[in-house]
Amino acid sequence: MKTPYIALLSAGTLALAACGQKTTTTENTTATTTNTEMTTATTVAPSAGQTFANTAAASDAFEIATSQMALTKSSSASVKKYAQKMIDAHTQSTAKLTTAVSGLTPPIAPDATLSATQQQTVDSLKSKSGADFDAAYIAAQTAGHQQTLDALKSYAATGDVPALKTFASTLVPTVTAHLNMAKGLKA
């Protein structure tokens, strides 16, 4: 599903790299060709396996960060109990992901950098407390777990790295349970 997008993005990047280059002399032509080749070499799109590993790692980091906030900002005992479960479960998930990618060739190193949307949600939660925090946290957990569940199911069905396909398929029931728990929380 992301492969056509990545290919389109790569083609667009290459087209932009070629725009505006002048080839007025033989020396400039050589330099332009070298620069274009270097640009092409440095803009190689990550593999589907790497992209999935990054998505999974960022999902874990998001769930842990928001749940750590919930332990101090929530006014609900049930939200705090859920938050602790999420911290424990997503810490375990991160460990399982690390094990799944260890020794892979080519190597895959999960990058837990949050997406812009995830970071925006974290920043928004920082300014909330009590019942306002609870409502926003529950909404974030519900949306985050739904996105993660979709990514896991998709990669389990069509992924290109067997170890990551296994990782994804074994987490589907757990993430489904987390999603159902989030949907059952009350602010």
Side-chain angles (χ1 to χ4, degrees):
M1 186 162 84
K2 289 192 179 225
T3 304
Y5 173 76
I6 292 171
L8 182 60
L9 181 62
S10 296
T13 302
L14 290 175
L16 287 174
C19 290
Q21 294 181 350
K22 296 181 182 180
T23 54
T24 55
T25 67
T26 303
E27 289 177 22
N28 286 346
T29 302
T30 303
T32 301
T33 302
T34 302
N35 287 340
T36 301
E37 289 169 357
M38 288 173 41
T39 300
T40 302
T42 59
T43 58
V44 173
S47 69
Q50 181 67 61
T51 300
F52 171 75
N54 293 349
T55 299
S59 173
D60 284 341
F62 174 76
E63 299 300 339
I64 292 168
T66 57
S67 294
Q68 286 172 334
M69 279 192 274
L71 293 178
T72 59
K73 292 178 161 280
S74 176
S75 61
S76 166
S78 63
V79 167
K80 287 182 178 186
K81 184 177 178 182
Y82 173 85
Q84 187 59 57
K85 285 182 182 180
M86 293 308 97
I87 292 168
D88 296 344
H90 288 280
T91 299
Q92 290 173 359
S93 174
T94 298
K96 289 177 183 176
L97 177 61
T98 301
T99 299
V101 298
S102 67
L104 289 177
T105 304
I108 292 178
D111 180 359
T113 302
L114 301 181
S115 70
T117 302
Q118 289 170 324
Q119 187 61 56
Q120 184 179 20
T121 301
V122 168
D123 293 342
S124 173
L125 286 172
K126 287 178 183 176
S127 66
K128 299 182 183 319
S129 62
D132 288 341
F133 175 87
D134 292 342
Y137 173 75
I138 292 167
Q141 289 295 305
T142 302
H145 280 97
Q146 183 62 61
Q147 291 169 349
T148 300
L149 182 59
D150 294 344
L152 290 170
K153 285 181 175 180
S154 175
Y155 197 83
T158 64
D160 60 342
V161 178
L164 288 176
K165 285 180 74 164
T166 300
F167 166 81
S169 64
T170 59
L171 279 182
V172 167
T174 302
V175 174
T176 301
H178 292 174
L179 176 60
N180 290 334
M181 284 189 279
K183 288 178 177 179
L185 289 172
K186 303 287 185 244

mmCIF file of all heavy atoms in Angstrom, residues 16-71:
data_model
loop_
_atom_site.group_PDB
_atom_site.id
_atom_site.type_symbol
_atom_site.label_atom_id
_atom_site.label_comp_id
_atom_site.label_asym_id
_atom_site.label_seq_id
_atom_site.Cartn_x
_atom_site.Cartn_y
_atom_site.Cartn_z
ATOM 1 N N LEU A 16 12.417 16.925 -8.968
ATOM 2 C CA LEU A 16 12.770 18.205 -8.360
ATOM 3 C C LEU A 16 14.281 18.411 -8.344
ATOM 4 O O LEU A 16 14.766 19.516 -8.524
ATOM 5 C CB LEU A 16 12.219 18.313 -6.941
ATOM 6 C CG LEU A 16 10.721 18.522 -6.832
ATOM 7 C CD1 LEU A 16 10.296 18.457 -5.371
ATOM 8 C CD2 LEU A 16 10.323 19.859 -7.432
ATOM 9 N N ALA A 17 15.027 17.339 -8.120
ATOM 10 C CA ALA A 17 16.480 17.444 -8.096
ATOM 11 C C ALA A 17 17.015 17.867 -9.459
ATOM 12 O O ALA A 17 18.021 18.573 -9.568
ATOM 13 C CB ALA A 17 17.099 16.112 -7.671
ATOM 14 N N ALA A 18 16.332 17.454 -10.517
ATOM 15 C CA ALA A 18 16.782 17.782 -11.861
ATOM 16 C C ALA A 18 16.388 19.190 -12.292
ATOM 17 O O ALA A 18 16.973 19.760 -13.209
ATOM 18 C CB ALA A 18 16.217 16.768 -12.854
ATOM 19 N N CYS A 19 15.397 19.774 -11.640
ATOM 20 C CA CYS A 19 14.919 21.110 -12.012
ATOM 21 C C CYS A 19 15.969 22.165 -11.749
ATOM 22 O O CYS A 19 16.637 22.160 -10.741
ATOM 23 C CB CYS A 19 13.654 21.476 -11.227
ATOM 24 S SG CYS A 19 12.231 20.522 -11.728
ATOM 25 N N GLY A 20 16.090 23.070 -12.649
ATOM 26 C CA GLY A 20 16.916 24.246 -12.449
ATOM 27 C C GLY A 20 18.401 24.026 -12.603
ATOM 28 O O GLY A 20 19.181 24.924 -12.342
ATOM 29 N N GLN A 21 18.838 22.853 -12.998
ATOM 30 C CA GLN A 21 20.266 22.632 -13.157
ATOM 31 C C GLN A 21 20.694 23.121 -14.535
ATOM 32 O O GLN A 21 20.048 22.865 -15.539
ATOM 33 C CB GLN A 21 20.600 21.149 -13.002
ATOM 34 C CG GLN A 21 20.346 20.657 -11.586
ATOM 35 C CD GLN A 21 20.712 19.200 -11.439
ATOM 36 O OE1 GLN A 21 20.972 18.522 -12.422
ATOM 37 N NE2 GLN A 21 20.741 18.732 -10.210
ATOM 38 N N LYS A 22 21.815 23.830 -14.544
ATOM 39 C CA LYS A 22 22.342 24.356 -15.801
ATOM 40 C C LYS A 22 23.515 23.504 -16.249
ATOM 41 O O LYS A 22 24.300 23.050 -15.443
ATOM 42 C CB LYS A 22 22.794 25.806 -15.622
ATOM 43 C CG LYS A 22 21.648 26.731 -15.278
ATOM 44 C CD LYS A 22 22.123 28.139 -15.127
ATOM 45 C CE LYS A 22 20.955 29.030 -14.738
ATOM 46 N NZ LYS A 22 21.347 30.402 -14.571
ATOM 47 N N THR A 23 23.598 23.327 -17.544
ATOM 48 C CA THR A 23 24.699 22.552 -18.096
ATOM 49 C C THR A 23 25.330 23.375 -19.217
ATOM 50 O O THR A 23 25.313 22.983 -20.377
ATOM 51 C CB THR A 23 24.212 21.190 -18.620
ATOM 52 O OG1 THR A 23 23.148 21.428 -19.550
ATOM 53 C CG2 THR A 23 23.704 20.326 -17.495
ATOM 54 N N THR A 24 25.900 24.524 -18.848
ATOM 55 C CA THR A 24 26.409 25.437 -19.863
ATOM 56 C C THR A 24 27.780 25.046 -20.376
ATOM 57 O O THR A 24 28.111 25.349 -21.504
ATOM 58 C CB THR A 24 26.459 26.881 -19.315
ATOM 59 O OG1 THR A 24 27.224 26.890 -18.111
ATOM 60 C CG2 THR A 24 25.058 27.378 -19.034
ATOM 61 N N THR A 25 28.581 24.376 -19.573
ATOM 62 C CA THR A 25 29.888 23.946 -20.046
ATOM 63 C C THR A 25 30.081 22.476 -19.734
ATOM 64 O O THR A 25 29.317 21.887 -18.973
ATOM 65 C CB THR A 25 31.031 24.747 -19.359
ATOM 66 O OG1 THR A 25 31.038 24.374 -17.979
ATOM 67 C CG2 THR A 25 30.864 26.236 -19.510
ATOM 68 N N THR A 26 31.133 21.928 -20.292
ATOM 69 C CA THR A 26 31.430 20.524 -20.054
ATOM 70 C C THR A 26 31.709 20.288 -18.579
ATOM 71 O O THR A 26 31.266 19.304 -18.005
ATOM 72 C CB THR A 26 32.643 20.081 -20.906
ATOM 73 O OG1 THR A 26 32.342 20.349 -22.267
ATOM 74 C CG2 THR A 26 32.939 18.607 -20.717
ATOM 75 N N GLU A 27 32.413 21.200 -17.912
ATOM 76 C CA GLU A 27 32.708 21.033 -16.495
ATOM 77 C C GLU A 27 31.419 21.040 -15.668
ATOM 78 O O GLU A 27 31.257 20.237 -14.775
ATOM 79 C CB GLU A 27 33.638 22.146 -16.011
ATOM 80 C CG GLU A 27 35.051 22.022 -16.550
ATOM 81 C CD GLU A 27 35.923 23.187 -16.111
ATOM 82 O OE1 GLU A 27 35.605 23.836 -15.108
ATOM 83 O OE2 GLU A 27 36.922 23.436 -16.793
ATOM 84 N N ASN A 28 30.509 21.954 -15.978
ATOM 85 C CA ASN A 28 29.251 22.007 -15.241
ATOM 86 C C ASN A 28 28.402 20.769 -15.498
ATOM 87 O O ASN A 28 27.716 20.306 -14.608
ATOM 88 C CB ASN A 28 28.443 23.261 -15.599
ATOM 89 C CG ASN A 28 29.026 24.507 -14.984
ATOM 90 O OD1 ASN A 28 29.864 24.427 -14.095
ATOM 91 N ND2 ASN A 28 28.579 25.657 -15.467
ATOM 92 N N THR A 29 28.440 20.248 -16.724
ATOM 93 C CA THR A 29 27.686 19.048 -17.038
ATOM 94 C C THR A 29 28.173 17.886 -16.178
ATOM 95 O O THR A 29 27.377 17.150 -15.609
ATOM 96 C CB THR A 29 27.808 18.683 -18.533
ATOM 97 O OG1 THR A 29 27.342 19.776 -19.291
ATOM 98 C CG2 THR A 29 27.008 17.433 -18.855
ATOM 99 N N THR A 30 29.466 17.735 -16.060
ATOM 100 C CA THR A 30 30.026 16.676 -15.229
ATOM 101 C C THR A 30 29.617 16.871 -13.779
ATOM 102 O O THR A 30 29.204 15.937 -13.107
ATOM 103 C CB THR A 30 31.565 16.649 -15.349
ATOM 104 O OG1 THR A 30 31.900 16.475 -16.720
ATOM 105 C CG2 THR A 30 32.170 15.530 -14.517
ATOM 106 N N ALA A 31 29.691 18.101 -13.291
ATOM 107 C CA ALA A 31 29.324 18.387 -11.904
ATOM 108 C C ALA A 31 27.836 18.123 -11.687
ATOM 109 O O ALA A 31 27.443 17.566 -10.663
ATOM 110 C CB ALA A 31 29.669 19.825 -11.539
ATOM 111 N N THR A 32 27.011 18.524 -12.656
ATOM 112 C CA THR A 32 25.577 18.304 -12.529
ATOM 113 C C THR A 32 25.260 16.819 -12.486
ATOM 114 O O THR A 32 24.475 16.376 -11.656
ATOM 115 C CB THR A 32 24.821 18.977 -13.695
ATOM 116 O OG1 THR A 32 25.099 20.364 -13.668
ATOM 117 C CG2 THR A 32 23.330 18.735 -13.585
ATOM 118 N N THR A 33 25.884 16.042 -13.341
ATOM 119 C CA THR A 33 25.658 14.607 -13.356
ATOM 120 C C THR A 33 26.074 13.991 -12.027
ATOM 121 O O THR A 33 25.354 13.196 -11.447
ATOM 122 C CB THR A 33 26.434 13.945 -14.524
ATOM 123 O OG1 THR A 33 25.995 14.540 -15.728
ATOM 124 C CG2 THR A 33 26.206 12.444 -14.548
ATOM 125 N N THR A 34 27.237 14.401 -11.516
ATOM 126 C CA THR A 34 27.715 13.875 -10.248
ATOM 127 C C THR A 34 26.757 14.246 -9.125
ATOM 128 O O THR A 34 26.409 13.414 -8.288
ATOM 129 C CB THR A 34 29.127 14.418 -9.943
ATOM 130 O OG1 THR A 34 29.977 14.047 -11.028
ATOM 131 C CG2 THR A 34 29.674 13.844 -8.647
ATOM 132 N N ASN A 35 26.279 15.504 -9.089
ATOM 133 C CA ASN A 35 25.351 15.924 -8.049
ATOM 134 C C ASN A 35 24.039 15.153 -8.134
ATOM 135 O O ASN A 35 23.467 14.774 -7.118
ATOM 136 C CB ASN A 35 25.070 17.430 -8.130
ATOM 137 C CG ASN A 35 26.255 18.241 -7.659
ATOM 138 O OD1 ASN A 35 27.117 17.741 -6.943
ATOM 139 N ND2 ASN A 35 26.298 19.500 -8.068
ATOM 140 N N THR A 36 23.542 14.930 -9.332
ATOM 141 C CA THR A 36 22.300 14.181 -9.500
ATOM 142 C C THR A 36 22.488 12.749 -9.022
ATOM 143 O O THR A 36 21.637 12.201 -8.341
ATOM 144 C CB THR A 36 21.847 14.199 -10.975
ATOM 145 O OG1 THR A 36 21.667 15.550 -11.359
ATOM 146 C CG2 THR A 36 20.558 13.432 -11.158
ATOM 147 N N GLU A 37 23.617 12.131 -9.363
ATOM 148 C CA GLU A 37 23.877 10.766 -8.921
ATOM 149 C C GLU A 37 23.980 10.702 -7.399
ATOM 150 O O GLU A 37 23.465 9.786 -6.776
ATOM 151 C CB GLU A 37 25.160 10.228 -9.559
ATOM 152 C CG GLU A 37 25.005 9.952 -11.033
ATOM 153 C CD GLU A 37 26.330 9.677 -11.736
ATOM 154 O OE1 GLU A 37 27.399 9.752 -11.104
ATOM 155 O OE2 GLU A 37 26.275 9.400 -12.932
ATOM 156 N N MET A 38 24.610 11.706 -6.787
ATOM 157 C CA MET A 38 24.715 11.726 -5.329
ATOM 158 C C MET A 38 23.340 11.909 -4.700
ATOM 159 O O MET A 38 23.020 11.271 -3.709
ATOM 160 C CB MET A 38 25.669 12.841 -4.880
ATOM 161 C CG MET A 38 27.126 12.509 -5.182
ATOM 162 S SD MET A 38 28.300 13.835 -4.882
ATOM 163 C CE MET A 38 27.775 14.567 -3.375
ATOM 164 N N THR A 39 22.510 12.774 -5.276
ATOM 165 C CA THR A 39 21.165 12.988 -4.758
ATOM 166 C C THR A 39 20.359 11.696 -4.842
ATOM 167 O O THR A 39 19.681 11.315 -3.904
ATOM 168 C CB THR A 39 20.448 14.109 -5.539
ATOM 169 O OG1 THR A 39 21.202 15.304 -5.413
ATOM 170 C CG2 THR A 39 19.047 14.320 -5.021
ATOM 171 N N THR A 40 20.474 11.004 -5.957
ATOM 172 C CA THR A 40 19.758 9.748 -6.131
ATOM 173 C C THR A 40 20.211 8.734 -5.093
ATOM 174 O O THR A 40 19.398 8.049 -4.487
ATOM 175 C CB THR A 40 19.988 9.182 -7.548
ATOM 176 O OG1 THR A 40 19.547 10.157 -8.484
ATOM 177 C CG2 THR A 40 19.229 7.892 -7.751
ATOM 178 N N ALA A 41 21.491 8.663 -4.835
ATOM 179 C CA ALA A 41 22.015 7.695 -3.881
ATOM 180 C C ALA A 41 21.572 8.005 -2.457
ATOM 181 O O ALA A 41 21.378 7.102 -1.661
ATOM 182 C CB ALA A 41 23.539 7.657 -3.961
ATOM 183 N N THR A 42 21.384 9.261 -2.116
ATOM 184 C CA THR A 42 21.034 9.612 -0.741
ATOM 185 C C THR A 42 19.531 9.664 -0.501
ATOM 186 O O THR A 42 19.115 9.823 0.627
ATOM 187 C CB THR A 42 21.657 10.964 -0.345
ATOM 188 O OG1 THR A 42 21.187 11.965 -1.238
ATOM 189 C CG2 THR A 42 23.159 10.907 -0.370
ATOM 190 N N THR A 43 18.705 9.537 -1.537
ATOM 191 C CA THR A 43 17.264 9.604 -1.343
ATOM 192 C C THR A 43 16.588 8.254 -1.575
ATOM 193 O O THR A 43 15.457 8.193 -1.989
ATOM 194 C CB THR A 43 16.620 10.667 -2.256
ATOM 195 O OG1 THR A 43 16.926 10.337 -3.614
ATOM 196 C CG2 THR A 43 17.092 12.053 -1.919
ATOM 197 N N VAL A 44 17.314 7.183 -1.296
ATOM 198 C CA VAL A 44 16.739 5.856 -1.452
ATOM 199 C C VAL A 44 15.646 5.687 -0.390
ATOM 200 O O VAL A 44 15.861 5.945 0.794
ATOM 201 C CB VAL A 44 17.828 4.768 -1.289
ATOM 202 C CG1 VAL A 44 17.212 3.392 -1.279
ATOM 203 C CG2 VAL A 44 18.859 4.903 -2.387
ATOM 204 N N ALA A 45 14.499 5.288 -0.828
ATOM 205 C CA ALA A 45 13.365 5.115 0.083
ATOM 206 C C ALA A 45 13.600 3.912 0.986
ATOM 207 O O ALA A 45 14.181 2.915 0.553
ATOM 208 C CB ALA A 45 12.092 4.923 -0.716
ATOM 209 N N PRO A 46 13.131 3.991 2.230
ATOM 210 C CA PRO A 46 13.286 2.833 3.115
ATOM 211 C C PRO A 46 12.439 1.667 2.619
ATOM 212 O O PRO A 46 11.421 1.858 1.964
ATOM 213 C CB PRO A 46 12.791 3.344 4.469
ATOM 214 C CG PRO A 46 11.942 4.529 4.161
ATOM 215 C CD PRO A 46 12.460 5.096 2.873
ATOM 216 N N SER A 47 12.870 0.475 2.977
ATOM 217 C CA SER A 47 12.118 -0.716 2.589
ATOM 218 C C SER A 47 10.793 -0.738 3.336
ATOM 219 O O SER A 47 10.600 -0.050 4.340
ATOM 220 C CB SER A 47 12.922 -1.971 2.935
ATOM 221 O OG SER A 47 13.001 -2.115 4.350
ATOM 222 N N ALA A 48 9.877 -1.564 2.867
ATOM 223 C CA ALA A 48 8.584 -1.716 3.548
ATOM 224 C C ALA A 48 8.800 -2.236 4.964
ATOM 225 O O ALA A 48 8.104 -1.818 5.894
ATOM 226 C CB ALA A 48 7.680 -2.647 2.750
ATOM 227 N N GLY A 49 9.765 -3.121 5.136
ATOM 228 C CA GLY A 49 10.070 -3.652 6.465
ATOM 229 C C GLY A 49 10.563 -2.558 7.400
ATOM 230 O O GLY A 49 10.155 -2.493 8.564
ATOM 231 N N GLN A 50 11.445 -1.699 6.898
ATOM 232 C CA GLN A 50 11.958 -0.593 7.707
ATOM 233 C C GLN A 50 10.832 0.377 8.063
ATOM 234 O O GLN A 50 10.720 0.821 9.200
ATOM 235 C CB GLN A 50 13.074 0.148 6.961
ATOM 236 C CG GLN A 50 13.671 1.303 7.758
ATOM 237 C CD GLN A 50 14.433 0.844 8.982
ATOM 238 O OE1 GLN A 50 15.407 0.111 8.862
ATOM 239 N NE2 GLN A 50 13.990 1.257 10.165
ATOM 240 N N THR A 51 9.992 0.675 7.084
ATOM 241 C CA THR A 51 8.866 1.584 7.324
ATOM 242 C C THR A 51 7.933 1.012 8.380
ATOM 243 O O THR A 51 7.498 1.718 9.299
ATOM 244 C CB THR A 51 8.107 1.848 6.010
ATOM 245 O OG1 THR A 51 9.017 2.447 5.078
ATOM 246 C CG2 THR A 51 6.919 2.767 6.230
ATOM 247 N N PHE A 52 7.627 -0.278 8.286
ATOM 248 C CA PHE A 52 6.765 -0.909 9.281
ATOM 249 C C PHE A 52 7.420 -0.892 10.658
ATOM 250 O O PHE A 52 6.763 -0.591 11.665
ATOM 251 C CB PHE A 52 6.419 -2.346 8.884
ATOM 252 C CG PHE A 52 5.718 -3.084 9.987
ATOM 253 C CD1 PHE A 52 4.385 -2.816 10.280
ATOM 254 C CD2 PHE A 52 6.396 -4.016 10.779
ATOM 255 C CE1 PHE A 52 3.733 -3.462 11.332
ATOM 256 C CE2 PHE A 52 5.755 -4.657 11.824
ATOM 257 C CZ PHE A 52 4.421 -4.381 12.097
ATOM 258 N N ALA A 53 8.704 -1.229 10.728
ATOM 259 C CA ALA A 53 9.412 -1.235 12.021
ATOM 260 C C ALA A 53 9.380 0.156 12.651
ATOM 261 O O ALA A 53 9.178 0.294 13.867
ATOM 262 C CB ALA A 53 10.846 -1.716 11.838
ATOM 263 N N ASN A 54 9.558 1.190 11.830
ATOM 264 C CA ASN A 54 9.500 2.562 12.335
ATOM 265 C C ASN A 54 8.099 2.888 12.856
ATOM 266 O O ASN A 54 7.948 3.509 13.908
ATOM 267 C CB ASN A 54 9.892 3.563 11.251
ATOM 268 C CG ASN A 54 11.344 3.454 10.845
ATOM 269 O OD1 ASN A 54 12.144 2.777 11.485
ATOM 270 N ND2 ASN A 54 11.691 4.112 9.756
ATOM 271 N N THR A 55 7.079 2.471 12.127
ATOM 272 C CA THR A 55 5.691 2.710 12.533
ATOM 273 C C THR A 55 5.401 2.013 13.859
ATOM 274 O O THR A 55 4.789 2.603 14.761
ATOM 275 C CB THR A 55 4.719 2.222 11.447
ATOM 276 O OG1 THR A 55 4.967 2.958 10.247
ATOM 277 C CG2 THR A 55 3.269 2.392 11.865
ATOM 278 N N ALA A 56 5.826 0.768 13.987
ATOM 279 C CA ALA A 56 5.589 0.010 15.218
ATOM 280 C C ALA A 56 6.339 0.641 16.399
ATOM 281 O O ALA A 56 5.788 0.765 17.499
ATOM 282 C CB ALA A 56 6.010 -1.449 15.029
ATOM 283 N N ALA A 57 7.580 1.030 16.170
ATOM 284 C CA ALA A 57 8.374 1.643 17.247
ATOM 285 C C ALA A 57 7.773 2.971 17.683
ATOM 286 O O ALA A 57 7.695 3.269 18.881
ATOM 287 C CB ALA A 57 9.822 1.832 16.784
ATOM 288 N N ALA A 58 7.337 3.782 16.719
ATOM 289 C CA ALA A 58 6.722 5.070 17.050
ATOM 290 C C ALA A 58 5.402 4.870 17.785
ATOM 291 O O ALA A 58 5.071 5.619 18.712
ATOM 292 C CB ALA A 58 6.520 5.904 15.787
ATOM 293 N N SER A 59 4.655 3.858 17.397
ATOM 294 C CA SER A 59 3.396 3.558 18.072
ATOM 295 C C SER A 59 3.651 3.211 19.539
ATOM 296 O O SER A 59 2.971 3.716 20.440
ATOM 297 C CB SER A 59 2.676 2.397 17.373
ATOM 298 O OG SER A 59 1.550 2.001 18.120
ATOM 299 N N ASP A 60 4.628 2.355 19.784
ATOM 300 C CA ASP A 60 4.974 2.010 21.161
ATOM 301 C C ASP A 60 5.404 3.249 21.941
ATOM 302 O O ASP A 60 4.959 3.467 23.074
ATOM 303 C CB ASP A 60 6.088 0.957 21.202
ATOM 304 C CG ASP A 60 5.614 -0.447 20.871
ATOM 305 O OD1 ASP A 60 4.397 -0.709 20.947
ATOM 306 O OD2 ASP A 60 6.476 -1.292 20.549
ATOM 307 N N ALA A 61 6.265 4.064 21.344
ATOM 308 C CA ALA A 61 6.752 5.272 22.018
ATOM 309 C C ALA A 61 5.600 6.221 22.346
ATOM 310 O O ALA A 61 5.552 6.816 23.435
ATOM 311 C CB ALA A 61 7.796 5.976 21.150
ATOM 312 N N PHE A 62 4.654 6.349 21.419
ATOM 313 C CA PHE A 62 3.488 7.209 21.625
ATOM 314 C C PHE A 62 2.631 6.691 22.776
ATOM 315 O O PHE A 62 2.229 7.454 23.663
ATOM 316 C CB PHE A 62 2.667 7.277 20.336
ATOM 317 C CG PHE A 62 1.369 8.027 20.476
ATOM 318 C CD1 PHE A 62 1.347 9.410 20.522
ATOM 319 C CD2 PHE A 62 0.165 7.339 20.567
ATOM 320 C CE1 PHE A 62 0.148 10.107 20.653
ATOM 321 C CE2 PHE A 62 -1.042 8.018 20.704
ATOM 322 C CZ PHE A 62 -1.049 9.410 20.748
ATOM 323 N N GLU A 63 2.344 5.399 22.772
ATOM 324 C CA GLU A 63 1.506 4.820 23.814
ATOM 325 C C GLU A 63 2.169 4.959 25.187
ATOM 326 O O GLU A 63 1.502 5.268 26.180
ATOM 327 C CB GLU A 63 1.205 3.346 23.523
ATOM 328 C CG GLU A 63 0.463 3.089 22.229
ATOM 329 C CD GLU A 63 -0.894 3.752 22.132
ATOM 330 O OE1 GLU A 63 -1.483 4.105 23.173
ATOM 331 O OE2 GLU A 63 -1.373 3.929 21.009
ATOM 332 N N ILE A 64 3.468 4.746 25.248
ATOM 333 C CA ILE A 64 4.191 4.865 26.517
ATOM 334 C C ILE A 64 4.199 6.323 26.987
ATOM 335 O O ILE A 64 3.894 6.601 28.156
ATOM 336 C CB ILE A 64 5.622 4.298 26.381
ATOM 337 C CG1 ILE A 64 5.555 2.771 26.193
ATOM 338 C CG2 ILE A 64 6.474 4.671 27.593
ATOM 339 C CD1 ILE A 64 6.872 2.132 25.771
ATOM 340 N N ALA A 65 4.529 7.253 26.107
ATOM 341 C CA ALA A 65 4.603 8.670 26.494
ATOM 342 C C ALA A 65 3.266 9.200 26.976
ATOM 343 O O ALA A 65 3.186 9.872 28.021
ATOM 344 C CB ALA A 65 5.113 9.503 25.319
ATOM 345 N N THR A 66 2.199 8.909 26.237
ATOM 346 C CA THR A 66 0.888 9.420 26.645
ATOM 347 C C THR A 66 0.401 8.734 27.918
ATOM 348 O O THR A 66 -0.233 9.365 28.766
ATOM 349 C CB THR A 66 -0.156 9.271 25.515
ATOM 350 O OG1 THR A 66 -0.256 7.888 25.118
ATOM 351 C CG2 THR A 66 0.207 10.131 24.306
ATOM 352 N N SER A 67 0.718 7.467 28.073
ATOM 353 C CA SER A 67 0.290 6.733 29.264
ATOM 354 C C SER A 67 1.065 7.172 30.502
ATOM 355 O O SER A 67 0.511 7.203 31.608
ATOM 356 C CB SER A 67 0.413 5.233 29.041
ATOM 357 O OG SER A 67 -0.498 4.828 28.030
ATOM 358 N N GLN A 68 2.328 7.535 30.342
ATOM 359 C CA GLN A 68 3.079 8.074 31.477
ATOM 360 C C GLN A 68 2.459 9.389 31.947
ATOM 361 O O GLN A 68 2.369 9.637 33.150
ATOM 362 C CB GLN A 68 4.554 8.265 31.106
ATOM 363 C CG GLN A 68 5.300 6.951 31.018
ATOM 364 C CD GLN A 68 6.701 7.083 30.471
ATOM 365 O OE1 GLN A 68 7.020 8.007 29.716
ATOM 366 N NE2 GLN A 68 7.562 6.137 30.823
ATOM 367 N N MET A 69 2.008 10.201 31.004
ATOM 368 C CA MET A 69 1.310 11.430 31.382
ATOM 369 C C MET A 69 0.022 11.111 32.134
ATOM 370 O O MET A 69 -0.329 11.797 33.095
ATOM 371 C CB MET A 69 0.990 12.276 30.144
ATOM 372 C CG MET A 69 2.138 13.108 29.650
ATOM 373 S SD MET A 69 1.590 14.313 28.428
ATOM 374 C CE MET A 69 1.665 13.335 26.950
ATOM 375 N N ALA A 70 -0.676 10.084 31.682
ATOM 376 C CA ALA A 70 -1.956 9.725 32.301
ATOM 377 C C ALA A 70 -1.780 9.347 33.764
ATOM 378 O O ALA A 70 -2.673 9.601 34.580
ATOM 379 C CB ALA A 70 -2.620 8.586 31.530
ATOM 380 N N LEU A 71 -0.656 8.761 34.108
ATOM 381 C CA LEU A 71 -0.434 8.361 35.496
ATOM 382 C C LEU A 71 -0.426 9.568 36.441
ATOM 383 O O LEU A 71 -0.792 9.439 37.612
ATOM 384 C CB LEU A 71 0.873 7.579 35.634
ATOM 385 C CG LEU A 71 0.909 6.212 34.951
ATOM 386 C CD1 LEU A 71 2.278 5.571 35.129
ATOM 387 C CD2 LEU A 71 -0.187 5.297 35.482
#
